[in-house]
Amino acid sequence: MLDLTNIRDELRAHYDLAPSMELAQSMSEIHARMGRVMPMIDWAVHAPYVAAINKLKRERNAVILAHNYMTPQIYHGIADVVGDSLQLAIKATEVEAEVIVQCGVHFMAETSKILNPAKTVLMPDMEAGCSLAESITAEGIAQMRAMYPGAPVVSYVNTTAEVKAASDICCTSANAAQIVAAMESDTVIMTPDKWLAQNVANQVPQKRVVWWDGACIVHEQFTAQDLRDFRDWNPGLKIIAHPECPPDVVAEADYAGSTANIQSWVETERPKQVMLVTECSMASNISDSLPDVEFLGPCNMCPYMQKITLEKVLWSLHTMTGAVEVDPEIAAPARLAVQRMIDLSKRLAG
Ligand code: 13P
Ligand code: SF4
């Protein structure tokens, strides 16, 4: 566990991190990307960290890959690349910098390391896990293979390197249905997300999809009744869900897709009012670029994603600690499963 008191003292000894309205105003072009969700007074607290990280990032030849669920100060303030899991995995294959700082959860950093074994991949907080990744081990994959002999295993990228290594191919929420449809076998094993698997089964009825009993603790909290209530209160409301939500929730939505696809849908359709049935940082991050759209709905935050803070990012770059390592014997087969997904995904996209 990180000792935050010690980290704070050490960082204050090296950087000027006192809140500063003057600095915040001098960095107003960054603030303008999140002004709708962040008052200037809060930006004055974050700006010194953003300035320090951006300077250190250049000195360390580092690039910051950030998931769409990061806080606005990370997403708009320090990230070089933002995106969904598929975009971040593809981007990780193209990084030239020596160091990757992964602002997201641990399986994302592991994926970057698997794809870039020679680079240093820093994880600002090793405890940023994922309920899906924690729900299955390689032993679970072996059990599924024993139950459905010959069926290919399609594992969500939200898994450990060990599980990826035991799988035939990976998928993300952006390509799961296409990957399952492309499998030659009639029966396809999907792990570890039972809700994603059931949503894919509805999209790909020609396959018999069987699944592991895992779930995302953020998306399984939404109910179809919540969505109906919001529609009753706000006629005309558009509802967009992430496919980690249960199928009855997805059925109530106007559209379902990965976090990047959710963003593209809202950018294209420009609904007057929209509810994003996903982690609530997503709406905060895109709301300034869509001033004519009103975002409403409950705010469910991912406790794992929220472990990543500016302070911890600065600490990892300052000390170059938190390097993610993957045993080369596991990394090699895991890389095959991720690369097969990337290649198939690019081929299917034409
Ligand atoms: P995306 O690939 O859609 O960004 O989802 C990742 C994730 O963890 C969602 O909970
Ligand atoms: Fe995992 Fe759900 Fe958090 Fe995504 S939102 S990292 S799936 S727990």
Side-chain angles (χ1 to χ4, degrees):
M1 236 235 270
L2 292 168
D3 177 353
L4 286 179
T5 311
N6 183 41
I7 287 175
R8 252 161 232 162
D9 288 348
E10 175 85 15
L11 287 177
R12 280 199 204 109
H14 285 86
Y15 306 93
D16 184 1
L17 297 171
S20 164
M21 225 15 154
E22 207 183 320
L23 182 66
Q25 262 144 11
S26 75
M27 295 164 71
S28 60
E29 81 290 356
I30 300 180
H31 178 247
R33 294 182 224 143
M34 55 188 137
R36 210 173 156 195
V37 294
M38 186 178 298
M40 199 62 174
I41 192 89
D42 288 345
W43 177 233
V45 174
H46 299 308
Y49 286 87
V50 168
I53 291 167
N54 286 337
K55 183 165 178 283
L56 200 51
K57 195 169 74 172
R58 286 188 292 276
E59 288 167 13
R60 301 274 197 247
N61 189 17
V63 70
I64 296 184
L65 306 187
H67 186 260
N68 290 329
Y69 291 163
M70 289 292 99
T71 55
Q73 58 272 25
I74 290 178
Y75 184 95
H76 291 295
I78 59 167
D80 298 290
V81 177
V82 292
D84 67 4
S85 309
L86 180 62
Q87 291 170 324
L88 296 180
I90 292 175
K91 206 65 202 173
T93 64
E94 299 162 2
V95 166
E96 282 174 13
E98 285 305 304
V99 178
I100 294 172
V101 183
Q102 196 84 35
C103 289
V105 290
H106 191 268
F107 75 81
M108 296 177 176
E110 254 188 0
T111 305
S112 293
K113 182 66 183 178
I114 288 166
L115 294 168
N116 286 288
K119 294 198 193 294
T120 301
V121 178
L122 300 178
M123 185 65 206
D125 187 337
M126 289 290 183
E127 288 179 15
C130 167
S131 64
L132 283 168
E134 285 156 19
S135 73
I136 189 164
T137 61
E139 175 58 30
I141 301 286
Q143 280 171 28
M144 294 299 276
R145 286 199 195 273
M147 280 166 71
Y148 304 100
V153 175
V154 179
S155 284
Y156 202 26
V157 279
N158 299 39
T159 45
T160 61
E162 183 204 42
V163 167
K164 289 183 176 77
S167 307
D168 295 292
I169 187 166
C170 287
C171 73
T172 73
S173 54
N175 59 22
Q178 292 95 315
I179 300 264
V180 168
M183 294 296 104
E184 278 176 12
S185 162
D186 288 338
T187 301
V188 179
I189 299 167
M190 279 193 81
T191 78
D193 188 343
K194 63 179 171 188
W195 300 131
L196 177 71
Q198 289 172 36
N199 287 317
V200 167
N202 290 337
Q203 284 177 284
V204 189
Q206 68 275 27
K207 298 286 181 194
R208 175 183 173 226
V209 180
V210 293
W211 51 81
W212 184 256
D213 190 23
C216 161
I217 53 165
V218 176
H219 291 93
E220 72 172 355
Q221 288 175 41
F222 296 103
T223 68
Q225 188 58 47
D226 290 340
L227 273 56
R228 284 192 288 273
D229 288 346
F230 269 96
R231 258 201 225 285
D232 288 348
W233 297 332
N234 305 278
L237 173 71
K238 293 290 178 196
I239 300 182
I240 319 299
H242 193 279
E244 288 170 13
C245 295
D248 60 335
V249 172
V250 168
E252 285 293 334
D254 297 288
Y255 173 79
S258 76
T259 54
N261 290 338
I262 288 174
Q263 180 174 359
S264 314
W265 192 94
V266 181
E267 282 168 358
T268 310
E269 299 295 324
R270 300 268 168 167
K272 263 197 161 62
Q273 287 190 315
V274 72
M275 171 168 154
L276 305 188
V277 186
T278 191
E279 218 269 1
C280 67
S281 301
M282 180 80 216
S284 307
N285 288 335
I286 63 175
S287 76
D288 272 84
S289 60
L290 296 158
D292 45 333
V293 179
E294 188 189 355
F295 292 86
L296 51 100
C299 182
N300 287 356
M301 298 200 109
C302 172
Y304 304 103
M305 291 277 183
Q306 299 303 315
K307 281 191 178 291
I308 307 302
T309 61
L310 288 174
E311 188 173 56
K312 292 177 191 171
V313 174
L314 180 57
W315 179 250
S316 66
L317 273 171
H318 174 69
T319 55
M320 293 298 282
T321 52
V324 173
E325 298 301 341
V326 182
D327 177 348
E329 298 221 345
I330 290 176
R335 189 176 313 121
L336 264 183
V338 177
Q339 197 60 53
R340 275 192 200 119
M341 167 191 80
I342 293 176
D343 295 345
L344 183 55
S345 211
K346 283 183 178 166
R347 213 164 53 240
L348 293 171

